[in-house]
Structures are given as C-alpha cells and as structure tokens.
Amino acid sequence: FTGCNIKKGKNQNKEIADQLNEALSNNNTDLVKNILTDKLKRTESDHLEDLVRFVSGEIVEAGDLSIANTCESDKNATLYTYHIRYHIKDDKGNRYYIRIEYTKESRMNKDAGVTYISVSLLDDDDTDLSIVSIGDAT
C-alpha cells in the first residue's frame, strides 16, 4: 500500500450527518437505510429500530463535525473511508456522541455508503452511559 491524496467530502459529510439527525429525531429507519451500504442494509436491518429509538427526543442542537479521512491504495485502486464525529442534544436535555464511518465508491469498493453508526448517551462528564451501534468500526 502507498499513500494517497484525500478528496474532501465536506458537503457529503454534512448531508450524511443531517440525514442521520433527522432519522433519530423522527424515529425513521428508512432515512438510515438510504445512507447504508447494501451489505449493512441486509445484516443490520433488525437493529435499525433500536438505533432510531435511542435518542429520547427531538434533536435541538448539533455540534460541529469532526472529520478524519483515511485511504488504502494499491497500484490499481484506492479505498476512501471518512470518519465523522459530533455531539447532539435532544429537547429533553440529553447529550449524545455520534460516530459515523462511510466509504466512497471506487474500483476497490463497489458497495459505497455508511458502514458504521454509533450513538452514545453521555453523562455530565462526557462518559458513555449507554451505546447503540450498527456495523463495524475501522
């Protein structure tokens, strides 16, 4: 593997985060399904309900996105993976930490989309009280 240039996906990162926030606020599994890889849709469909019902109210505040990008490449193709992290707060005063990972389509990856989502309920010291997740983090 060699190094590679990371292409910025700023708008796509925000769109994915906004769509997840809407899904969590409205308990809408279809909105989550729209951003998942085909594999994750098949393997995690039973857990989507748990994910969208985890946030106890409507999201009223979302923090700035923290974004990291990684890539793997060989002489024939490159796999781009994007990591999004941010905090949200619901209308009941609960705070959560969101982690999302997704991949771009390339010759190395035909099943592009979100590969991991986790939502952690935080206490006042930012310690995870409980967590729900789908997929596998890299």
Side-chain angles (χ1 to χ4, degrees):
F1 290 109
T2 62
C4 54
N5 294 323
I6 296 293
K7 297 176 183 176
K8 301 236 181 218
K10 188 175 186 177
N11 289 337
Q12 188 169 10
N13 295 330
K14 182 162 177 19
E15 288 172 12
I16 288 172
D18 288 346
Q19 189 161 343
L20 179 61
N21 291 348
E22 185 178 343
L24 295 172
S25 283
N26 297 314
N27 300 323
N28 188 327
T29 58
D30 289 333
L31 286 174
V32 177
K33 284 181 188 176
N34 289 339
I35 59 175
L36 299 178
T37 62
D38 289 338
K39 178 184 175 188
L40 205 57
K41 287 175 190 172
R42 288 189 306 274
T43 60
E44 297 290 339
S45 61
D46 294 342
H47 303 285
L48 291 178
E49 198 68 38
D50 295 335
L51 179 77
V52 298
R53 296 205 183 281
F54 189 72
V55 173
S56 62
E58 183 179 335
I59 296 171
V60 295
E61 186 178 311
D64 291 335
L65 303 182
S66 171
I67 301 163
N69 307 313
T70 59
C71 67
E72 298 175 30
S73 66
D74 61 22
K75 64 182 181 174
N76 298 315
T78 303
L79 173 65
Y80 295 99
T81 304
Y82 296 80
H83 311 267
I84 306 168
R85 310 286 188 264
Y86 61 100
H87 289 88
I88 60 172
K89 186 175 184 179
D90 68 20
D91 59 356
K92 298 183 184 336
N94 297 310
R95 296 177 325 109
Y96 304 86
Y97 185 59
I98 308 292
R99 297 170 195 88
I100 304 169
E101 293 182 14
Y102 73 94
T103 57
K104 291 267 195 172
E105 185 173 344
S106 69
R107 287 184 292 184
M108 213 172 175
N109 177 41
K110 297 300 179 194
D111 191 18
V114 171
T115 57
Y116 176 73
I117 299 171
S118 76
V119 182
S120 302
L121 176 63
L122 302 174
D123 68 9
D124 292 336
D125 297 323
D126 285 344
T127 303
D128 293 343
L129 294 172
S130 59
I131 186 170
V132 64
S133 65
I134 60 171
D136 295 314
T138 56

